[in-house]
Amino acid sequence: MAWYTALWIGLLGNWPLWHRMAGMPDFAGWRGTLFIAVFAGIVVMVLGAVFSLLAWRTAVKPLLSLMLLMTAPLAYFIGSYGVVIDSTMLTNALQTDLRETRDLLAWGLVAHLLLLAVLPLVWLWRQQVTDKAWFKRLGWNLLAVVLALVLGMGLAASRTADLASTLRNHKVLTKMVSPVNAMWAGVALAAQKHLVPKGPPERVATDAHLAPRAAGSKPPLVLLVVGETARSDNFSLNGYGKPTNPELSRLPVLSYREVSSCGTSTAASVPCMFSHLGREVFVDKPTHQETLLDVLQRAGLAVLWLDNQSGCKGVCDRVPNAQAIHPARADHPLPAGLCGADGECFDEAMLHDLDARIAALDPQRVARGVVLVLHQMGSHGPAYYKRTPEDRKPFLPECRSSALQQCPVEEVRNGYDNSIAYTDHVLADAIGWLTQQEGRFDPSLLYVSDHGESLGENNLFLHGMPYALAPREQKHVPLVLWLSPGTRAAQHLDGDCLTARRDAPMSHDGLFHTVLSLSGVQTQVYRRDWDWVGACRR
């Protein structure tokens, strides 16, 4: 049973891997076909060795069933969207909420479950299992493992050069071997969790305080909009051919065109964005530290995280936070049409009654300044068409399916571009609200997306690829800045300098330090060289 299951999963359950390799120039011709066959044999031997360890009378059927039930959806998602499975992707799956899960359901997934899991499960559970003494069963299992390893090494030795080249130049292929990829990702994720220190978070910037305000200046009001799945190349502000930013293009905003993300998923990027460490240190040093929001709150500012997605990934745990679907006041519900019966809201819901949300915060803190964070639904896929109201779809026809691979690429991009155009509208409305606050605050807006998106380039869709292997589309994110005249004066910012830096290389590393400076917080942790506007402060 273990070996039949290994053959089934290795040859059929891993069809996306064989399809990917068959389409790669490195594996063209008879030599390439021969190597694919050898590689398939090695995969079957590895699975045979692993499954042989599971071949115990009471455990064999449940555990092999689990392997089949893991492999079927993995085959669907890898084959349909070109994703690979690692600890980051596993984290994304574990943190996915009901709305996101619903968007991913499709008939293709049902077909994979029926053909790759249910069909062999029917056969598996009809088999009779003979009992053996435990030492005999151990002997047979170890013999099977040794046989698998010997045969696997023999196959590897027959194509050593090709195998070494493949593992060196195409590391993504190893993350497509199911279900070993998911098992390995689970072990890696458990190890990462084990390394994170327990207990309360380590305090950061304990010296944080508000700098004295200049005469005539007002308290800062920083509106930080954390975008979702927006890629810089699809902003017409950055040179995209389709008019995806019609409203922002008429406003005095600055759009920075060379900004890279901390990660390729929300779970990876958001905690990194709000850390002072910077990506290189953050990803290599498992920590449990306070975030930017903790530092702002310690300095005495009023802080609020408003979410229209699946949560703040721990960033807002110790500051006031709310879901956009819950109105600020019970007697002032959200306007009709902003939220559906399924609990999903359009991003405009976050702008509703912001004055009331500020009024509900500590008035003494509000008098010192306010930092509002809006976490968008943005362009979250694969159901891009759900992210925009029906009357705000300038690009048609659009893909109306979650199975992106079944839609023409141009329709997929139309659906995605509609979501970018809707974000443009939301940001323009947010700036309109900020201008109404100028009598009381010196307002500013920062918009930056958490990561980008693949829209069919190289047969990849969605995001979440390992950072080292991810294409530019998943790491190149938009950054938009709006500053009121009062903020520019209070911050002593040179407008010509800010404009001249539109193509300067930037990254998520600067978010922590830029928000500190715009909100008037001083601390030894602050780095001027990472501050997105620091170089333009006179």
Side-chain angles (χ1 to χ4, degrees):
M1 286 189 289
W3 276 88
Y4 279 140
T5 305
L7 281 167
W8 182 271
I9 291 178
L11 300 181
L12 298 180
N14 277 285
W15 74 262
L17 173 59
W18 314 131
H19 182 265
R20 170 75 71 89
M21 293 181 71
M24 296 172 67
D26 289 14
F27 307 116
W30 70 268
R31 286 179 59 88
T33 302
L34 178 60
F35 176 73
I36 293 174
V38 169
F39 196 71
I42 295 172
V43 168
V44 171
M45 292 304 113
V46 171
L47 294 177
V50 173
F51 294 173
S52 293
L53 297 174
L54 310 179
W56 295 88
R57 182 176 184 275
T58 57
V60 62
K61 288 185 179 181
L63 291 177
L64 292 180
S65 298
L66 177 62
M67 297 299 106
L68 289 164
L69 290 170
M70 287 172 56
T71 300
L74 290 173
Y76 170 72
F77 289 114
I78 295 173
S80 298
Y81 300 111
V83 300
V84 297
I85 308 301
D86 63 353
S87 58
T88 299
M89 186 62 73
L90 184 58
T91 300
N92 296 336
L94 294 174
Q95 295 184 0
T96 297
D97 62 14
L98 181 60
R99 295 175 301 177
E100 295 172 340
T101 302
R102 185 176 58 244
D103 289 344
L104 291 170
L105 298 179
W107 287 112
L109 176 59
V110 175
H112 276 73
L113 287 169
L114 289 175
L115 295 176
L116 294 180
V118 174
L119 186 61
L121 281 174
V122 171
W123 171 85
L124 178 67
W125 284 91
R126 290 170 61 91
Q127 302 306 302
Q128 297 296 319
V129 180
T130 57
D131 197 7
K132 288 184 182 295
W134 71 266
F135 57 89
K136 289 185 178 180
R137 172 49 50 202
L138 177 62
W140 280 109
N141 290 358
L142 292 179
L143 180 61
V145 171
V146 171
L147 177 63
L149 294 178
V150 169
L151 291 175
M153 288 187 290
L155 289 170
S158 70
R159 310 295 297 178
T160 303
D162 290 339
L163 182 62
S165 175
T166 298
L167 297 179
R168 181 176 62 253
N169 299 325
H170 304 290
K171 295 179 181 179
V172 67
L173 298 179
T174 62
K175 298 180 183 295
M176 294 177 66
V177 180
S178 300
V180 175
N181 47 11
M183 296 164 65
W184 183 258
V187 171
L189 183 60
Q192 292 171 13
K193 296 290 185 183
H194 178 72
L195 292 174
V196 175
K198 302 294 188 278
E202 177 186 342
R203 290 165 64 87
V204 172
T206 56
D207 63 332
H209 62 279
L210 291 175
R213 288 202 305 269
S217 64
K218 305 179 185 71
L221 170 57
V222 180
L223 182 60
L224 170 60
V225 182
V226 179
E228 170 63 40
T229 320
R231 49 191 249 173
S232 180
D233 291 343
N234 287 61
F235 272 52
S236 57
L237 288 172
N238 297 336
Y240 188 50
K242 293 158 71 173
T244 52
N245 301 123
E247 297 186 50
L248 287 180
S249 63
R250 296 192 293 268
L251 296 173
V253 300
L254 295 166
S255 183
Y256 294 92
R257 297 180 285 212
E258 293 298 330
V259 184
S260 57
S261 66
C262 275
T264 61
S265 69
T266 303
S269 278
V270 169
C272 180
M273 292 167 68
F274 284 81
S275 168
H276 73 289
L277 296 173
R279 182 183 180 277
E280 288 189 8
V281 175
F282 184 87
V283 298
D284 293 329
K285 180 184 177 183
T287 58
H288 181 37
Q289 292 186 332
E290 292 181 334
T291 71
L292 168 65
L293 304 186
D294 295 299
V295 175
L296 297 171
Q297 186 166 255
R298 176 177 299 118
L301 296 171
V303 180
L304 174 65
W305 177 287
L306 192 57
D307 207 289
N308 193 34
Q309 235 220 84
S310 57
C312 65
K313 314 306 177 188
V315 166
C316 66
D317 288 353
R318 294 166 296 278
V319 303
N321 58 84
Q323 287 288 328
I325 195 171
H326 300 139
R329 297 179 298 174
D331 62 340
H332 198 186
L334 294 169
L338 281 186
C339 299
D342 58 359
E344 181 172 325
C345 299
F346 293 117
D347 283 333
E348 283 178 274
M350 292 189 291
L351 302 180
H352 178 66
D353 245 1
L354 283 180
D355 297 280
R357 293 195 185 276
I358 291 178
L361 299 174
D362 183 341
Q364 292 184 336
R365 289 180 174 273
V366 171
R368 302 185 194 108
V370 180
V371 177
L372 299 177
V373 184
L374 308 185
H375 187 201
Q376 283 188 291
M377 178 59 77
S379 303
H380 197 290
Y384 305 123
Y385 69 97
K386 292 184 178 181
R387 310 301 171 231
T388 54
E390 290 299 325
D391 61 346
R392 290 198 168 275
K393 294 182 181 292
F395 309 112
L396 296 172
E398 68 173 359
C399 179
R400 306 284 295 189
S401 170
S402 295
L404 300 179
Q405 72 282 2
Q406 297 177 7
C407 291
V409 172
E410 189 55 39
E411 291 186 15
V412 172
R413 293 180 179 173
N414 280 344
Y416 181 84
D417 288 340
N418 285 334
S419 70
I420 298 296
Y422 181 60
T423 289
D424 175 82
H425 170 69
V426 172
L427 294 179
D429 275 4
I431 292 172
W433 174 77
L434 287 171
T435 59
Q436 298 172 14
Q437 312 303 313
E438 290 187 74
R440 183 183 177 191
F441 297 102
D442 283 335
S444 57
L445 177 140
L446 271 173
Y447 164 82
V448 62
S449 184
D450 57 354
H451 55 80
E453 186 87 328
S454 289
L455 296 174
E457 299 89 359
N458 300 312
N459 295 316
L460 291 179
F461 290 94
L462 304 182
H463 53 268
M465 290 280 287
Y467 199 88
L469 305 175
R472 170 181 165 87
E473 292 82 9
Q474 295 188 24
K475 299 185 287 189
H476 186 208
V477 295
L479 168 60
V480 176
L481 174 65
W482 175 85
L483 303 168
S484 71
T487 299
R488 289 177 183 249
Q491 293 279 328
H492 306 290
L493 292 171
D494 185 327
D496 291 337
C497 173
L498 291 172
T499 302
R501 285 176 52 80
R502 287 189 63 194
D503 292 308
M506 298 179 182
S507 74
H508 277 166
D509 293 352
L511 177 68
F512 184 101
H513 308 275
T514 306
V515 174
L516 284 184
S517 69
L518 289 177
S519 57
V521 175
Q522 293 183 340
T523 169
Q524 292 296 318
V525 170
Y526 168 75
R527 289 187 56 166
R528 186 174 183 272
D529 57 325
W530 282 9
D531 183 350
W532 292 330
V533 300
C536 297
R537 186 172 284 108
R538 295 189 298 272

